[in-house]
Amino acid sequence: MNLDLFLQYVVAGITYGTIYGIVAIGFNIIYNTTGIINFAQGEFVMLGGMTAVTLARVLPLPAAILVAVLVTTVVGALIEILFIRWLRHPSVLRMIVITIGLSILIREVALHIWGEGVRALPYFTGTSVTSIRLGGVYISPQVLWVVGISAVVVAILGGFFRYTLLGMQMRACAANRDAARLCGISAKNMVTLSFMLSAGIGALGGCIVSPITYVSYDSGVPLAIKGFTVAILGGLGNSAASAGAGMLLGILESFSVSVLPAAYKDVISVAILLVILFVRPSGLFGSAEVARLKEF
Amino acid sequence: MRKQGLQIAGFAAVVAAIQLATFLTGNVYHLTQLTMSAYYSLVVLGLCILTGYAGQISIGHAGFFAIGGYLSALLTTHNFSAHGGRVVSGLAAMGILARRPDLYGGELLTVHPWPACILAVFAAVAVAYAIGGPVLKLKGHYLAMATLGFGIIVYRIVLGTELVGAADGIYDVPAFPLLPGIAVSGKSSLRVMNYYVAWGFVILGMVFLMNLVRSRVGRALASIHGAEDAAEAMGIPTARYKLKIFVVSAAFAAVAGVLLTHYNGGIGPSESSVMKSVRYLAIVAIGGMANLWGALFMSLILNYLSLRGYFGSFDDAVFGVILILIMLFAHEGLLRRQLLDQIRGAVIRRGGGDDP
């Protein structure tokens, strides 16, 4: 394998890795405030992408994406309010099954609205064959859009959690729910907010990546499982590490295609998930001591 | 013991009554879907003992079903006569390979269904043993994700492998002669017999599981479900029991996979999809989690309705909605065992009056 081909694989890996990182951050936001893994996370990505594609027929592209993100955010809020908010001390098993049920429900609704067809947004700049030459590597401008927007989102999110009152309230809930409530923070509203944030970020991810990966009613589950792999790889709850782990998984996956048939691409990432779960459930960057105290 | 015998006899009577009803109303073709429901019920019963009684969730049971079904289908359809060699002729002499005519009048040399079935179930059990150890150490979300991951791996492998027909699956799978005169086959002339054979398997499985639940093992499982650390502290080897029950439940799924594949004459990748695993879980949940009879009846009803196409294009959605509703409003399960006692208790209290 020469250097140019190697770099080309790396670029492809980073593109996919970014979207896995975005899904993983969605997992982490909800996990941090609730201790729940939202199995419907991939469906938010799908919903964002599908809505944007439909809206793009009547609205200019940026407006379509904005509205799609807002719609998905509202869906996230509705899901939390209807199915999760009023449960008292739900067990982990119960939450797993409910979010799995929700994921099926959203997927089936999408199937009835949009059918089985595969859709995509137009490329943000240029067309599918436009490319920028960097050294010996060809990069689609869309890849730059994906990486750029994701980086901005991660930066804004970091700032939100660190500097705004709302962000700090959410972190307080994540650190100690009871203590946060004693300080007058409405833990329930924070949970709703975390679902909204997570849905919105997932939807944005779905929009920016859809020109490259396409989107269909059933594209949520593979994304969810890979996002989860990345979240575990980086250590559950650690969003910064998720971004790095996303790149790692994306690149591993893209190189696996050069060794194994492309049909087995998903097998690789799931196998990585299993190995991580078996060997080091605290993640590559997480500490085993902290993980032992967490409730799964 | 007598109560158990009565329950089994009652269920056998229900099975016979259903057959009689289809005969009298002239709807004999419904038996085909009822037979398929029976095989799916075997998977559900195995999952019920694992998730309901031992409290270990699995979203990958369709994977074990597919390992059983696919391996049996592959061995009984792959033509070995092209391979030649001493090993093949040796196996043929031992009766493991059998000659049978194909559709076009030629001759196929394939593995006899019996050794194929044994090998397929053995393979599923071996896989369950291998992954069960590390998987069952996990709890909650991680356990769910790991079993889901296993299911996805099996699905992706069967979907991506040409040898097992990729997206088409394997077809032209021969009948399975269980005993002389009794064969698992989808021929319409054997429909009634196959209906009873299938439900016979379910009753056998039911007797086995009911005895298991009432045994030392069953009590150990219940204690693991209640509080695993406490069970461990009481000296129950929890890891060993969990692994055992995981393997038993995988074996149930694999047997069901083998039999249904021979009954349908084929198997496709959709049998190993995540949706199938979720469906089994939904049936266990609506059946009352730790309630074998509840799971069995719900499996009979829901699988039958689904296979007859009553849910139309909402087939998957129905099971999703069931899962959500059960978990929101009756997370102990709908048909839970205590329900009857509670109703009885409420009636007595109201009737008694002087109860404080």
Side-chain angles (χ1 to χ4, degrees):
Chain A
M1 191 184 289
N2 63 26
L3 187 66
D4 287 349
L5 190 60
F6 178 82
L7 289 175
Q8 202 72 58
Y9 275 124
V10 171
V11 169
I14 287 175
T15 316
Y16 283 91
T18 308
I19 192 69
Y20 300 157
I22 291 274
V23 179
I25 289 172
F27 272 121
N28 284 333
I29 292 174
I30 293 184
Y31 176 79
N32 275 340
T33 46
T34 61
I36 296 171
I37 293 292
N38 172 27
F39 279 70
Q41 191 63 38
E43 265 57 40
F44 290 149
V45 180
M46 177 272 291
L47 213 53
M50 289 298 235
T51 316
V53 172
T54 306
L55 291 173
R57 292 194 197 132
V58 287
L59 293 174
L61 192 59
I65 292 176
L66 187 67
V67 176
V69 169
L70 288 178
V71 167
T72 315
T73 307
V74 171
V75 170
L78 280 178
I79 281 178
E80 201 279 333
I81 290 166
L82 287 176
F83 298 105
I84 291 163
R85 195 183 182 91
W86 53 277
L87 296 177
R88 265 180 300 168
H89 306 296
S91 69
V92 170
L93 182 70
R94 212 171 150 198
M95 291 318 307
I96 293 172
V97 177
I98 289 177
T99 53
I100 288 176
L102 285 171
S103 123
I104 294 167
L105 209 58
I106 298 174
R107 192 163 68 227
E108 290 298 308
V109 170
L111 176 62
H112 279 90
I113 296 176
W114 288 293
E116 289 183 335
V118 173
R119 290 138 193 266
L121 282 173
Y123 277 69
F124 293 3
T125 41
T127 62
S128 58
V129 290
T130 317
S131 62
I132 301 164
R133 202 183 144 92
L134 273 182
V137 189
Y138 292 93
I139 300 177
S140 161
Q142 191 64 32
V143 170
L144 300 180
W145 277 110
V146 170
V147 177
I149 293 179
S150 304
V152 171
V153 166
V154 172
I156 292 178
L157 207 61
F160 170 75
F161 279 122
R162 191 168 294 254
Y163 299 114
T164 66
L165 188 59
L166 210 53
M168 284 192 267
Q169 287 181 343
M170 285 182 77
R171 278 199 301 151
C173 274
N176 188 331
R177 204 183 158 101
D178 292 328
R181 283 173 59 187
L182 283 174
C183 295
I185 299 169
S186 163
K188 290 201 162 173
N189 287 348
M190 293 305 123
V191 172
T192 314
L193 191 64
S194 72
F195 267 81
M196 291 168 71
L197 260 183
S198 172
I201 287 170
L204 184 65
C207 293
I208 56 178
V209 85
S210 87
I212 304 175
T213 60
Y214 300 106
V215 56
S216 63
Y217 80 99
D218 60 351
S219 52
V221 174
L223 277 176
I225 192 106
K226 282 173 199 169
F228 185 78
T229 308
V230 166
I232 298 282
L233 206 58
L236 205 51
N238 184 349
S239 286
S242 291
M247 302 293 163
L248 189 63
L249 184 71
I251 291 169
L252 276 177
E253 215 180 66
S254 111
F255 277 102
S256 81
V257 177
S258 66
V259 187
L260 283 169
Y264 295 143
K265 193 173 133 188
D266 285 354
V267 175
I268 298 296
S269 52
V270 181
I272 291 174
L273 168 65
L274 290 186
V275 170
I276 292 289
L277 284 178
F278 295 167
V279 180
R280 199 177 157 79
S282 53
L284 289 185
F285 311 115
S287 99
E289 281 77 36
V290 174
R292 212 168 294 144
L293 294 173
K294 281 184 184 165
E295 198 187 328
F296 298 125
Chain B
M1 279 317 271
R2 248 189 81 193
K3 190 181 158 205
Q4 188 179 322
L6 278 177
Q7 284 173 338
I8 292 286
F11 182 70
V14 170
V15 169
I18 293 175
Q19 192 265 321
L20 200 64
T22 58
F23 175 71
L24 291 176
T25 54
N27 291 322
V28 188
Y29 51 90
H30 283 238
L31 289 183
T32 303
Q33 285 80 31
L34 287 164
T35 308
M36 290 166 75
S37 303
Y39 291 131
Y40 285 129
S41 300
L42 276 179
V43 191
V44 169
L45 288 180
L47 187 62
C48 180
I49 200 99
L50 179 69
T51 300
Y53 286 85
Q56 309 298 309
I57 194 173
S58 166
I59 325 176
H61 256 53
F64 292 115
F65 181 96
I67 291 176
Y70 262 101
L71 208 53
S72 186
L74 180 67
L75 291 171
T76 54
T77 54
H78 188 78
N79 193 355
F80 284 89
S81 56
H83 293 294
R86 207 178 299 160
V87 180
V88 167
S89 52
L91 288 173
M94 282 158 66
I96 291 176
L97 294 179
R99 291 182 192 283
R100 62 184 172 90
D102 69 6
L103 287 174
Y104 314 105
E107 198 183 42
L108 290 174
L109 183 65
T110 58
V111 177
H112 186 272
W114 261 115
C117 166
I118 291 167
L119 202 66
V121 174
F122 185 76
V125 164
V127 170
Y129 251 115
I131 69 161
V135 162
L136 293 168
K137 272 190 205 148
L138 305 169
K139 292 187 180 67
H141 294 122
Y142 285 12
L143 177 63
M145 271 295 177
T147 52
L148 178 64
F150 164 72
I152 290 180
I153 289 180
V154 174
Y155 176 65
R156 285 289 157 189
I157 289 177
V158 298
L159 192 63
T161 308
E162 281 302 322
L163 181 66
V164 295
D168 293 333
I170 302 177
Y171 39 90
D172 291 338
V173 177
F176 186 167
L178 287 172
L179 293 168
I182 298 180
V184 174
S185 145
K187 270 194 205 142
S188 56
S189 57
L190 300 176
R191 197 184 269 144
V192 176
M193 184 184 82
N194 263 284
Y195 171 78
Y196 281 107
V197 168
W199 286 103
F201 273 110
V202 172
I203 288 175
L204 275 182
M206 199 67 193
V207 170
F208 172 75
L209 291 180
M210 281 166 81
N211 282 316
L212 194 71
V213 169
R214 291 155 56 95
S215 71
R216 185 188 174 86
V217 180
R219 289 188 294 274
L221 294 180
S223 72
I224 292 173
H225 192 177
E228 197 173 328
D229 291 339
E232 186 78 46
M234 295 293 287
I236 296 169
T238 54
R240 205 189 306 156
Y241 275 118
K242 283 198 291 184
L243 182 59
K244 258 185 202 164
I245 211 67
F246 188 68
V247 170
V248 165
S249 130
F252 265 72
V255 168
V258 170
L259 293 172
L260 186 61
T261 301
H262 284 282
Y263 181 70
N264 285 342
I267 185 168
S270 71
E271 287 297 347
S272 64
S273 68
V274 173
M275 203 45 231
K276 284 275 178 186
S277 296
V278 172
R279 179 177 290 216
Y280 300 136
L281 189 66
I283 293 173
V284 171
I286 197 175
M289 284 299 187
N291 182 352
L292 285 169
W293 285 111
L296 182 54
F297 274 105
M298 289 327 281
S299 166
L300 168 61
I301 295 167
L302 288 175
N303 275 315
Y304 167 73
L305 291 178
S306 164
L307 289 164
R308 289 290 314 165
Y310 281 109
F311 302 141
S313 62
F314 296 99
D315 203 30
D316 287 343
V318 165
F319 288 90
V321 170
I322 286 176
L323 269 186
I324 295 177
L325 291 181
I326 291 292
M327 283 298 146
L328 284 183
F329 300 111
H331 63 105
E332 308 269 301
L334 192 60
L335 304 172
R336 58 184 186 277
R337 282 175 298 175
Q338 299 87 340
L339 193 67
L340 266 182
D341 295 337
Q342 282 174 2
I343 294 172
R344 204 176 297 146
V347 170
I348 289 171
R349 221 172 296 145
R350 198 163 299 164
D354 52 4
D355 230 274

